[in-house]
Amino acid sequence: MEHIRNFCIIAHIDHGKSTLADRLLEHTRTVDTRNMKAQTLDDMDLERERGITIKSHAIKMQYTLEGKPYVLNLIDTPGHVDFSYEVSRSIAACEGALLIVDAAQGIQAQTISNLYLAIDQGLEIIPILNKMDLPGAMPEEVKDQIVDLIGCSRDEIIPASGKTGLGVDAILEAIVNRVPAPKGDPNKPLKALIFDSVFNSYRGIIAYFKVVDGSIKTHDEVKFMATGRKYDAEEIGALLLDRKPTPEVKTGDVGYIISGIKEAREVKVGDTITLINNPTPEPIKGFEDVKPMVFAGIYPVDTEDFEELRESMYKLQLNDASLVFEPESSVALGFGFRCGFLGMLHMEIIQERLEREFNMTVITTVPNVSYNAYTTDGEMNIVRNPTDLPDPSKLIKVEEPYISASIITSSEFVGNILSLCIGRRGMLKNQTYLTPTRVELTFDLPLAEVVFDFYDKLKSLSKGYASFDYHPIGYQESKLVKLDIFINKQPVDALSAVIHRDRAYEWGKKICEKLKELIPRQQFEIAIQAGIGAKIIARESISALRKDVTAKCYGGDISRKRKLLEKQKKGKKRMRQVGNVEIPQQAFMAVLKID
């Protein structure tokens, strides 16, 4: 155990974690040169296309220092705020963390947020200044920022470059010398923490774990403490680039277990594995449950695919423990799921993965957050779907979730960002100058105003330089109303939204105009209306396709033409009563991009 080091890499998005991980793998010869590619650990097509890490990736490296062999277990983590749950799970399996800061961009909001996660768990932090080869690098200024943030000495900061390989030796030495060996007792009963799991269509569910006490051997009878299920450890082993079976995984090590589990619900991330014949008295304190921020409905395009979608969602949940879902039904779309996501990027990635990995084409409804509605009966209802909002006559008040948002940006963009946040009903709480050109702004914002396109707007206003991080601060009362959309007098529940009263008229008008462009014309007139309760606040009409029925009348009495037009009018009226309007998929998506 003295020779084991478990560490993870944490940083803001795009600060070069995966590239630096490549250099560590190359240097320790964990991966052959011919298998080496950029971002080796990012094995999902989506990750490689977008250049982001979505899942944490664990890998075991062998390293020799001063003639002694060491085992280094590395976990590369995502940097985007939407995947911070992955980061918190990786941190729980480690004793040290490499904090990587881009020498050209300096400290960003997510760097600070991930750093606090690591400090709370008591990890040893090794600061690294990456991208030193860039012409725009500002090593001295960024070193000052790191010293202010974690209070280390300037000599402890390791200059490095993931591209050229500068500083890799120094990093590996620092890991061995500064990260503590795992604390555990090899003689105690087995106690292992599950920190991740993946689904394999041939082997079932593969759980990744870290052994805290004791050891596990192949064909041991094991028990998962949270679910109470018992299994035979068919195969255990180490996580190299591919899984490598080994007869035993010892204290302090990270490994995987395959035990023929077919049901996704049987594996819970944060669960404790122990032996049946020699169990540990108490389980490990697991991670806190994930708190979804954004809720949206996911429905199959074809209602017959509902069961298939359910299976796909369970398999995806294994791979992404932060996805939360429950079944629901909608008048317009049939059966589907109400899903909780950690943010808009997370929602987009889930939708994309369902299409790629499971061939499921889905419709996503307008994302929203959960509200607390208080009624005259003295009850408090949690409203996750706009259709659940009680009747306005029975409502006393509605509360919505607020967040405290921290935005770090260059001082030239402060004006733009202030007007963006105040336009989104934000309240400025604090403004601190970290350096003469970098400002940290703290706002209290309603979460509903952030879930749509706030992050994209923030990035474009600040030319990509602002970084954003947030945490929930509870519920506050607001003047909220439910906006319904009616098409041909029928309410379309998938398009309804809970919105602030002051913005309802403008929002309703925009939706009606957008739907008028997207819904194809029919043989009868279609009315598109937006309403609050019984009051209609906006309307657009799609005129009917008309055949020129009087074309065959040339000359003759006017009553002949009038008779034909009256006949056509009656037919159109009857059509409107029985006609159905198909709403195209783009209409549901367009509402997301309304601004």
Side-chain angles (χ1 to χ4, degrees):
M1 264 178 64
E2 287 304 308
H3 292 174
I4 296 176
R5 301 286 182 271
N6 297 321
F7 68 99
C8 60
I9 301 185
I10 55 176
H12 189 80
I13 189 167
D14 269 349
H15 280 201
K17 298 176 293 301
S18 301
T19 317
L20 200 60
D22 288 352
R23 299 292 82 78
L24 295 175
L25 296 179
E26 246 173 28
H27 201 82
T28 55
R29 298 199 173 85
T30 307
V31 181
D32 296 347
T33 321
R34 60 184 182 162
N35 290 338
M36 201 70 202
K37 54 190 180 206
Q39 295 159 286
T40 311
L41 292 177
D42 292 348
D43 48 11
M44 224 184 284
D45 294 344
L46 256 176
E47 292 180 313
R48 310 188 70 79
E49 275 168 32
R50 294 185 176 223
I52 57 175
T53 305
I54 294 170
K55 269 201 73 59
S56 301
H57 300 277
I59 191 162
K60 180 176 181 174
M61 307 186 287
Q62 307 282 352
Y63 176 63
T64 309
L65 181 66
E66 295 167 2
K68 291 179 190 163
Y70 289 92
V71 169
L72 311 181
N73 289 312
L74 150 75
I75 303 181
D76 178 24
T77 65
H80 195 282
V81 60
D82 279 12
F83 303 110
S84 52
Y85 186 63
E86 286 282 329
V87 182
S88 72
R89 289 165 27 199
S90 311
I91 284 173
C94 297
E95 282 81 35
L98 303 184
L99 176 74
I100 295 182
V101 181
D102 186 327
Q105 291 186 28
I107 293 212
Q108 304 272 325
Q110 194 59 30
T111 317
I112 298 175
S113 152
N114 285 342
L115 173 71
Y116 287 151
L117 282 176
I119 290 174
D120 287 348
Q121 289 275 355
L123 268 61
E124 175 67 34
I125 310 289
I126 300 176
I128 293 167
L129 202 52
N130 197 17
K131 304 197 184 180
M132 287 292 284
D133 57 313
L134 288 184
M138 314 172 291
E140 295 311 311
E141 292 173 34
V142 180
K143 273 186 182 176
D144 291 342
Q145 293 176 17
I146 297 176
V147 170
D148 287 349
L149 183 66
I150 58 176
C152 61
S153 70
R154 290 174 77 87
D155 310 338
E156 286 176 28
I157 302 169
I158 303 171
S161 161
K163 197 188 247 176
T164 61
L166 163 79
V168 173
D169 272 332
I171 292 172
L172 288 164
E173 281 178 33
I175 291 166
V176 170
N177 295 329
R178 282 154 65 178
V179 174
K183 296 180 187 67
D185 188 341
N187 303 318
K188 279 191 176 172
L190 170 70
K191 188 196 277 188
L193 170 77
I194 299 179
F195 65 89
D196 204 353
S197 58
V198 293
F199 177 77
N200 181 311
S201 42
Y202 301 107
R203 307 295 306 268
I205 287 149
I206 302 168
Y208 294 168
F209 61 87
K210 177 200 174 185
V211 181
V212 178
D213 290 330
S215 66
I216 178 172
K217 298 184 180 68
T218 312
H219 294 304
D220 271 348
E221 295 284 322
V222 295
K223 176 182 170 186
F224 288 22
M225 292 179 83
T227 56
R229 302 289 184 116
K230 298 174 181 175
Y231 304 103
D232 169 51
E234 279 174 32
E235 181 181 312
I236 55 168
L239 294 159
L240 297 174
L241 196 55
D242 294 322
R243 288 180 290 275
K244 184 184 176 193
T246 53
E248 187 177 18
V249 179
K250 297 181 178 161
T251 314
D253 234 333
V254 173
Y256 69 90
I257 175 169
I258 299 178
S259 48
I261 306 171
K262 295 287 184 284
E263 283 289 313
R265 295 176 281 276
E266 294 178 28
V267 176
K268 284 195 167 41
V269 169
D271 197 353
T272 305
I273 306 178
T274 188
L275 297 177
I276 291 175
N277 51 14
N278 185 10
T280 179
E282 78 276 350
I284 301 165
K285 302 277 184 293
F287 314 108
E288 75 284 4
D289 271 347
V290 57
K291 297 183 190 72
M293 291 288 175
V294 180
F295 295 89
I298 285 188
Y299 293 85
V301 171
D302 194 344
T303 38
E304 290 160 11
D305 297 340
F306 174 70
E307 280 305 321
E308 211 173 309
L309 178 63
R310 186 202 298 268
E311 278 306 302
S312 308
M313 297 285 275
Y314 276 127
K315 286 172 187 172
L316 199 53
Q317 194 180 32
L318 264 182
N319 227 315
D320 183 346
S322 50
L323 171 67
V324 182
F325 62 90
E326 57 186 35
E328 73 162 3
S329 65
S330 141
V331 182
L333 300 171
F335 290 107
F337 293 97
R338 184 110 205 118
C339 304
F341 307 98
L342 296 182
M344 288 295 278
L345 177 72
H346 187 210
M347 171 174 149
E348 207 180 305
I349 294 289
I350 291 289
Q351 193 178 347
E352 190 111 342
R353 286 183 69 184
L354 280 170
E355 289 186 7
R356 288 190 185 200
E357 295 172 26
F358 304 101
N359 297 326
M360 294 299 308
T361 318
V362 293
I363 293 175
T364 313
T365 63
V366 185
N368 62 349
V369 295
S370 61
Y371 302 94
N372 290 343
Y374 293 86
T375 58
T376 47
D377 314 341
E379 286 183 4
M380 193 270 280
N381 302 325
I382 296 177
V383 179
R384 292 214 172 99
N385 193 341
T387 45
D388 301 340
L389 197 68
D391 192 68
S393 59
K394 291 184 179 168
L395 263 182
I396 300 175
K397 61 173 183 175
V398 182
E399 293 178 340
E400 63 177 332
Y402 268 68
I403 57 169
S404 170
S406 133
I407 298 169
I408 297 180
T409 183
S410 172
S411 51
E412 61 188 287
F413 306 120
V414 169
N416 294 347
I417 289 172
L418 280 172
S419 55
L420 168 72
C421 294
I422 290 164
R424 296 293 178 100
R425 300 190 282 134
M427 285 167 342
L428 181 65
K429 286 293 181 188
N430 199 353
Q431 182 172 347
T432 341
Y433 277 81
L434 303 170
T435 70
T437 56
R438 288 171 70 75
V439 190
E440 181 175 13
L441 302 167
T442 312
F443 283 93
D444 282 359
L445 277 160
L447 181 61
E449 298 286 348
V450 176
V451 297
F452 256 8
D453 52 357
F454 179 82
Y455 192 65
D456 302 342
K457 284 264 184 345
L458 181 70
K459 281 291 183 197
S460 54
L461 284 177
S462 63
K463 300 183 182 167
Y465 278 110
S467 61
F468 173 65
D469 188 44
Y470 59 85
H471 61 268
I473 52 169
Y475 284 76
Q476 294 181 23
E477 189 180 340
S478 293
K479 290 190 293 185
L480 297 169
V481 289
K482 179 182 160 207
L483 182 74
D484 285 313
I485 303 294
F486 301 91
I487 293 180
N488 204 15
K489 306 271 171 55
Q490 297 295 320
V492 181
D493 54 357
L495 289 174
S496 56
V498 174
I499 200 159
H500 197 267
R501 188 177 282 282
D502 301 346
R503 286 189 58 198
Y505 169 70
E506 159 201 11
W507 180 258
K509 191 165 169 42
K510 278 184 182 168
I511 288 187
C512 290
E513 285 168 0
K514 199 81 182 172
L515 291 174
K516 184 181 178 180
E517 289 169 28
L518 290 166
I519 293 176
R521 286 173 71 188
Q522 306 284 341
Q523 294 286 345
F524 51 93
E525 185 189 29
I526 302 169
I528 301 169
Q529 297 163 309
I532 298 171
K535 184 183 172 192
I536 299 297
I537 57 168
R539 172 182 168 133
E540 293 286 336
S541 298
I542 301 175
S543 54
L545 289 167
R546 300 181 82 92
K547 181 180 169 190
D548 187 359
V549 288
T550 58
K552 60 187 177 194
C553 302
Y554 47 94
D557 188 37
I558 186 71
S559 59
R560 287 179 62 201
K561 288 187 179 178
R562 196 165 289 140
K563 191 170 144 195
L564 286 169
L565 288 168
E566 282 299 320
K567 188 177 170 189
Q568 185 187 33
K569 193 173 160 188
K570 274 184 190 162
K572 297 275 179 211
K573 191 175 173 186
R574 195 166 60 246
M575 252 181 180
R576 186 185 320 151
Q577 287 165 353
V578 298
N580 271 336
V581 183
E582 280 273 307
I583 303 170
Q585 159 78 9
Q586 294 98 315
F588 294 105
M589 297 314 290
V591 180
L592 307 184
K593 304 186 177 80
I594 206 101
D595 290 344

